[in-house]
Amino acid sequence: MKIIVTHCNPDLDAITSIWIIKRFWPGWKKAEFSFVPAGETYKGLPVDSNPQILHVDTGLGKYDHHQTSDFICAAMLCWQKCRLFGREKEAMERILEIVCEVDHARDINWPEAMNDRYFFFLEEILGGLNSIRQDDKEVVEFGLTALDSVLKVTRDRVFAEEILEGPEVIKFKTKWGKGVGVVTSNEAILVVGEKMGYSLVVKKDKKRGDVRIYSRWDRGVDLTNVYHQLKALDPRATWFLHSSHCLLLNGSSRNPKMKPTKLSLEKMIEILKKSN
C-alpha cells in the first residue's frame, strides 16, 4: 500500500502536493494519507527510505522545500516529475505560482490585501476548516475536489484567452464600446472577454446553438432594444433579459428547457452594432 505523508493541519501547499501526486503520478491514485507533526516523518523512519512512503512538505526529503530559501514549494517539487503539455501545462504553472506565493507569504502584497474577498480564497477556506477541528483527512479530501475545480476553470480560462486572441473571433464596435463574438462551447469566454476590456461579449454555443450576450454594467449597456428585436426575429426561441439589462440569454445550464435560436452569430452582431 502506498502512503503519502504530510504535516498535521495541512495547508494549501501540502494539499496541492498530495493532489498532484494522486492525479498525475502513475500508480499513486489510490494512495492513503498519513499525518505527522511538521518536520517529522512516518513512524520516525528515515525520509525517502521506502519508495512506497512519500513525504511532502515535511521530513526534509525530496519533496520538502524547508531546507532551502529558494522561491519554491513542495507542490512545485512534486510537479517537476510530471510531464504535461499545452493548456494543461500552462494552467498548472499558473496554479503553482499562486500556491508558491501564498506559501512564501507574498499574498500580503497582493492588491487590496485586506479586502474581505480573500476569505473566499482556497487557502483561507482550508485554514478555516483546520481551525474548526475538521479531521485532517476530511480537509485533504475537500482540498482535492476544490483543486480539481481550480484546474478546470484555469484551463478553461487559458483556452478562452487563446480564442479571444485568435482569428476566429469577430470584433465589432457599438455605441457602448468594443464588442467581440465567437462560436465556441467555452463558457469562460464571456467573463474573460469582459475582463479583457470588451463592452460586450457574444457567444454562440458550438454544439447547442444557443446564444449568450454578456455586457459590462459599468459601460451603461442596455440590451432592452436588442431583446425586443431578437424576439421579433426569432419568436420560437427562448429569450431572457436579466433585470440588469446587461445580460441577454438564449440558453443556460440552469434552465435546460430554453430553446436555442436559429439566428447566426453574424446576425446577432449586426443588431448589436445598429442598436441605439
Side-chain angles (χ1 to χ4, degrees):
M1 179 181 67
K2 293 179 178 175
I3 301 173
I4 305 173
V5 184
T6 194
H7 55 78
C8 302
N9 279 23
D11 59 2
L12 182 61
D13 186 29
I15 294 174
T16 305
S17 301
I18 295 171
W19 175 68
I20 289 171
I21 293 165
K22 287 181 70 70
R23 298 297 190 262
F24 299 107
W25 284 27
W28 285 84
K29 183 178 180 180
K30 297 181 179 180
E32 298 290 332
F33 310 134
S34 185
F35 304 92
V36 298
E40 295 188 14
T41 63
Y42 182 72
K43 295 183 178 180
L45 297 171
V47 68
D48 301 329
S49 60
N50 184 338
Q52 302 298 304
I53 301 173
L54 196 64
H55 292 74
V56 296
D57 210 29
T58 188
L60 300 180
K62 291 187 293 185
Y63 304 105
D64 184 11
H65 64 104
H66 292 101
Q67 60 269 54
T68 177
S69 60
D70 293 345
F71 185 73
I72 198 167
C73 60
M76 282 184 166
L77 293 172
C78 295
W79 172 247
Q80 288 175 357
K81 190 173 178 178
C82 301
R83 293 291 181 268
L84 297 180
F85 304 94
R87 296 183 195 113
E88 193 98 346
K89 180 175 183 290
E90 183 172 347
M92 283 298 302
E93 288 174 348
R94 292 191 188 190
I95 291 169
L96 290 172
E97 182 69 20
I98 294 172
V99 171
C100 200
E101 284 186 6
V102 170
D103 206 54
H104 286 262
R106 299 295 195 271
D107 53 320
I108 64 172
N109 288 323
W110 284 358
E112 298 181 273
M114 282 292 292
N115 194 294
D116 290 350
R117 70 171 66 98
Y118 291 113
F119 294 152
F120 292 86
F121 178 59
L122 183 55
E123 167 72 358
E124 296 288 342
I125 295 172
L126 294 172
L129 288 173
N130 281 318
S131 69
I132 59 177
R133 301 186 181 277
Q134 286 282 334
D135 177 80
D136 286 340
K137 184 178 179 181
E138 291 179 4
V139 174
V140 169
E141 294 286 3
F142 171 86
L144 298 183
T145 301
L147 285 165
D148 285 340
S149 177
V150 171
L151 177 58
K152 171 66 166 60
V153 297
T154 307
R155 188 171 51 220
D156 287 350
R157 176 165 181 163
V158 170
F159 188 22
E161 290 171 358
E162 290 178 8
I163 293 170
L164 288 166
E165 294 170 356
E168 62 266 44
V169 299
I170 302 174
K171 297 180 181 180
F172 57 96
K173 293 181 180 180
T174 74
K175 70 173 186 177
W176 302 293
K178 294 181 180 179
V180 64
V182 65
V183 178
T184 180
S185 294
N186 185 301
E187 290 294 328
I189 203 103
L190 293 159
V191 174
V192 172
E194 288 181 307
K195 290 181 177 180
M196 288 177 69
Y198 290 104
S199 295
L200 297 101
V201 185
V202 188
K203 169 190 167 292
K204 187 171 177 66
D205 192 87
K206 194 171 185 177
K207 297 177 181 177
R208 301 187 305 267
D210 57 79
V211 172
R212 303 176 76 186
I213 304 174
Y214 275 33
S215 62
R216 293 185 56 132
W217 58 268
D218 56 347
R219 302 279 172 85
V221 180
D222 187 336
L223 298 174
T224 304
N225 290 337
V226 176
Y227 166 69
H228 290 302
Q229 290 182 64
L230 293 175
K231 280 191 70 175
L233 286 170
D234 190 359
R236 297 189 65 182
T238 305
W239 300 100
F240 173 74
L241 179 65
H242 190 267
S243 58
S244 66
H245 297 184
C246 292
L247 301 178
L248 180 52
L249 310 178
N250 167 239
S252 171
S253 60
R254 298 171 184 173
N255 184 357
K257 295 181 180 180
M258 295 183 80
K259 296 179 181 179
T261 181
K262 295 181 179 179
L263 298 175
S264 67
L265 176 66
E266 288 77 9
K267 184 61 178 178
M268 307 281 290
I269 291 174
E270 179 187 333
I271 294 170
L272 286 165
K273 288 166 65 175
K274 295 179 180 179
S275 182
N276 52 42

